[in-house]
Amino acid sequence: MANFRATGRTRNFTRKPPVCPFCAGKATIDYKDVATLSQYLTSNGSIGSRHTTRACAKHQRAIARAIKRARFLALLPYAPVHIWKTGGVGLPELRRRRS
């Protein structure tokens, strides 16, 4: 019996290479910028991987360093329990403005 399956792929998918947003100049890394750093945290409070952040190795290390500094200064939470208790990530001044 003849094999009717296609032996090769008929479609030619071209993936766009992931571009680091920091190398492209669209973003900057600063430990005091809590809103930007919170985008690179997962829902359980851990630092996102290079695959999810789309950052190059150099900038992924800088992101991790900035997040760790912000956590030490209590600008970012260490665990999701802190997020649930406070109602979000941010500076106390930002929380006071919302209420």
Side-chain angles (χ1 to χ4, degrees), residues 29-48:
I29 302 171
D30 187 20
Y31 71 94
K32 296 170 282 192
D33 191 6
V34 179
T36 304
L37 290 179
S38 63
Q39 295 174 355
Y40 297 103
L41 292 175
T42 61
S43 60
N44 61 356
S46 62
I47 300 171

Side-chain angles (χ1 to χ4, degrees), residues 5 7 57 61 65-66 72 75:
R5 295 174 102 186
T7 55
R61 288 190 299 270
R65 224 177 298 127
F72 181 76
L75 300 174

Side-chain angles (χ1 to χ4, degrees), residues 12-27:
N12 206 0
F13 291 109
T14 56
R15 279 185 76 187
K16 201 163 61 168
V19 177
C20 176
F22 304 102
C23 290
K26 296 178 185 173

Side-chain angles (χ1 to χ4, degrees), residues 10-96:
T10 56
R11 296 182 194 168
N12 206 0
F13 291 109
T14 56
R15 279 185 76 187
K16 201 163 61 168
V19 177
C20 176
F22 304 102
C23 290
K26 296 178 185 173
T28 58
I29 302 171
D30 187 20
Y31 71 94
K32 296 170 282 192
D33 191 6
V34 179
T36 304
L37 290 179
S38 63
Q39 295 174 355
Y40 297 103
L41 292 175
T42 61
S43 60
N44 61 356
S46 62
I47 300 171
S49 65
R50 277 183 59 198
H51 178 72
T52 56
T53 60
R54 300 186 71 161
C56 63
K58 180 175 95 173
H59 289 113
Q60 180 66 24
R61 288 190 299 270
I63 289 170
R65 224 177 298 127
I67 288 174
K68 290 172 186 177
R69 282 181 185 160
R71 283 177 175 168
F72 181 76
L73 295 171
L75 300 174
L76 285 175
Y78 278 99
V81 175
H82 298 135
I83 296 171
W84 297 330
K85 286 182 181 177
T86 60
V89 177
L91 297 171
E93 297 87 33
L94 295 176
R95 277 193 230 118
R96 262 189 249 125

